Amino acid sequence: MKNIGSIKRTAALLLALVMIISLLPAATAQKASFATDEAWEIQRLVNARRGASRVPLSTFKTLTEVAEKRADEVMVKFSHARPGSDDPNTWVTALKEKNITYRSAAENIARGFGAADKVMNAWMDSEVHRGNILMESLRHIGVAYREQGHFWVQMFVGGCKTKSISVSGLTAQSFDAAHPEKYLVEVTCDQHGKSYLPLTSSMVKISKSASGGVIVTVTYDGVSVTYSEERFTDVGKNAWYYQAVEYTVNKGIFAGITATTFQPNAAMTRAMFVATLSRIAGVNVSNKVTTKFSDVKSGQWYTGAVKWASDNDIVAGSDGRFMPNDPITREQICTILVTYAKARQIDLTPKQAAASFKDAGRISSWAKNAVTTCQRAGLVAGSNGSFDPKGNATRAAVAQILMAFDKNFG
């Protein structure tokens, strides 16, 4: 093992105790725009050494600015004590000056090493510096390098909670698994906003969808984002509703339940259905409104759509309530489609003869004409001779109905 503490060595690495603060109160490779090549390479090497068992470290601009400030200072005084002080703990005040919050923090400094891999080897040969690099509670790193004298600074902070992640330029169709570091990961945490790191192989899981499509899942600090050859991981290309889902999502009529799931077999709610009609109509709605329904409060994601539909006599509700979260039934869908067509002056021209459903007697009196109109217009059909008027419609089934509606009458 190299004796990096020897004063006889040309490249001298400071082995003064690094303070670790724990405060309870307190294609072409992409990189963060503010990061230098040397800093980005150190960050990559640090994450390689942290391995799969520890969360990789990301960087943010303000922390990098602190590292840059400290690099200028250690050129003047090679110490964890800042210029004008003999206290080796004063390096942490550089974080406080930038209002960087943390529950744990550390600093590594070095001089005399002309390449990133050489200084990393030296740091990893030191128990104290290695301990900082591998500390499990850390989440962020800022790095600075000064070519004159080859001074290096690593600033670490941790104790924040990751909220979301995304990966720039990653698609399941063209993911380069052999070179994950090409991709830039953006992390948002609860204390430091957006931060960045090169993607590592330990963050990636590659799998197959039900229809054989590639799925790339990236996980960072317990938060995952999925990229699929299919738009949604639960909508295979061989599914009977695939074209309907693709059509309605492309048209902006439908949206996924999450960024990667459509939940085709989930029940369609009354609020969801009215929202899709507002999108077909192309109206801009605000959710900061009030409605006449006691169960539709201002500020809900569907408030604006319900008010628009109510104001245009498309929906009426019952006993002063709209029941937005109730599953919508097949006969309700027909009724609302017919009132929507009337409000928009759309002629639902018959395309086929009226069907005689075996369960026609179960269709509510107020829905009979609407069911017949929609069936003859080719918007709905029965199954095994029955219509199932009280049955709940799935999101996939409604996507099929609305694709037919938009293509023929939109």
Side-chain angles (χ1 to χ4, degrees):
M1 180 178 293
K2 299 177 181 177
N3 180 12
I4 62 174
S6 173
I7 60 174
K8 297 179 180 179
R9 179 173 178 163
T10 303
L13 177 68
L14 182 69
L15 289 179
L17 178 64
V18 178
M19 290 298 296
I20 301 170
I21 307 298
S22 294
L23 299 178
L24 292 177
T28 302
Q30 304 176 72
K31 67 180 180 69
S33 60
F34 53 83
T36 65
D37 291 342
E38 293 85 3
W40 200 246
E41 177 63 8
I42 287 289
Q43 186 178 353
R44 187 190 69 80
L45 292 171
V46 164
N47 288 336
R49 296 300 183 101
R50 286 174 70 87
S53 62
R54 298 175 180 85
V55 176
L57 303 184
S58 59
T59 188
F60 57 95
K61 186 176 181 180
T62 310
L63 187 59
T64 298
E65 291 173 349
V66 172
E68 293 285 346
K69 175 71 173 178
R70 288 291 294 137
D72 290 337
E73 292 178 350
V74 299
M75 290 181 71
V76 175
K77 181 178 183 177
F78 189 57
S79 169
H80 295 292
R82 301 183 72 181
S85 172
D86 293 324
D87 183 352
N89 301 333
T90 53
W91 63 269
V92 77
T93 62
L95 295 171
K96 296 177 180 178
E97 289 173 1
K98 283 289 190 176
N99 297 315
I100 296 177
T101 57
Y102 53 86
R103 293 173 68 89
S104 56
E107 176 184 79
N108 284 344
I109 61 176
R111 65 182 177 189
F113 298 92
D117 59 340
K118 289 182 171 55
V119 71
M120 272 299 300
N121 288 338
W123 273 325
M124 292 301 291
D125 281 344
S126 160
E127 181 179 358
V128 174
H129 298 83
R130 181 173 66 250
N132 293 333
I133 290 169
L134 302 181
M135 194 189 313
E136 292 190 6
S137 65
L138 298 177
R139 291 297 179 269
H140 302 300
I141 183 174
V143 179
Y145 169 65
R146 294 292 180 266
E147 185 174 6
Q148 182 180 355
H150 301 301
F151 288 86
W152 298 85
V153 174
Q154 290 179 322
M155 299 293 295
F156 304 95
V157 294
C160 50
K161 182 178 180 180
T162 299
K163 297 170 62 179
S164 65
I165 65 171
S166 63
V167 187
S168 177
L170 193 155
T171 64
Q173 294 91 332
S174 60
F175 177 60
D176 186 355
H179 300 95
E181 69 280 358
K182 290 167 48 175
Y183 303 96
L184 180 67
V185 181
E186 180 183 280
V187 178
T188 302
C189 75
D190 62 345
Q191 295 184 34
H192 308 114
K194 296 184 185 302
S195 58
Y196 305 90
L197 73 154
L199 184 64
T200 69
S201 58
S202 64
M203 298 167 62
V204 178
K205 178 183 177 182
I206 300 177
S207 57
K208 294 285 188 178
S209 68
S211 60
V214 174
I215 300 173
V216 179
T217 302
V218 177
T219 302
Y220 177 88
D221 198 16
V223 178
S224 297
V225 62
T226 300
Y227 300 86
S228 174
E229 283 189 309
E230 288 119 7
R231 185 192 304 270
F232 301 111
T233 58
D234 55 357
V235 180
K237 292 183 178 179
N238 297 324
W240 63 265
Y241 46 78
Y242 176 79
Q243 293 297 334
V245 170
E246 285 292 300
Y247 179 90
T248 53
V249 172
N250 285 336
K251 294 278 285 188
I253 298 169
F254 257 105
I257 296 296
T258 70
T260 58
T261 61
F262 185 77
Q263 295 186 12
N265 297 317
M268 186 82 173
T269 67
R270 289 168 54 82
M272 288 178 185
F273 189 71
V274 169
T276 60
L277 289 184
S278 71
R279 296 171 194 141
I280 291 177
V283 295
N284 292 318
V285 298
S286 170
N287 292 320
K288 296 181 179 180
V289 294
T290 59
T291 75
K292 66 181 183 180
F293 302 115
S294 62
D295 57 353
V296 179
K297 305 299 183 183
S298 178
Q300 301 300 309
W301 66 265
Y302 50 78
T303 303
V306 172
K307 179 174 174 55
W308 161 79
S310 174
D311 289 349
N312 287 276
D313 298 321
I314 297 169
V315 297
S318 176
D319 297 325
R321 299 169 60 241
F322 181 69
M323 297 153 287
N325 297 315
D326 283 5
I328 194 165
T329 65
R330 288 168 55 80
E331 64 180 10
Q332 288 173 357
I333 287 174
C334 291
T335 301
I336 295 174
L337 279 177
V338 169
T339 56
Y340 170 83
K342 180 179 179 180
R344 306 291 293 182
Q345 298 183 335
I346 296 171
D347 182 15
L348 297 179
T349 307
K351 298 180 180 298
Q352 57 194 8
S356 297
F357 295 117
K358 292 186 294 186
D359 57 354
R362 295 184 59 237
I363 301 174
S364 300
S365 58
W366 48 263
K368 286 185 181 291
N369 289 338
V371 170
T372 298
T373 298
C374 287
Q375 179 268 316
R376 294 198 66 191
L379 300 178
V380 297
S383 177
N384 298 320
S386 297
F387 180 68
D388 189 21
K390 305 295 192 293
N392 299 332
T394 65
R395 285 169 53 82
V398 173
Q400 190 76 22
I401 293 170
L402 294 183
M403 179 177 70
F405 184 92
D406 191 64
K407 280 186 173 182
N408 293 295
F409 306 106

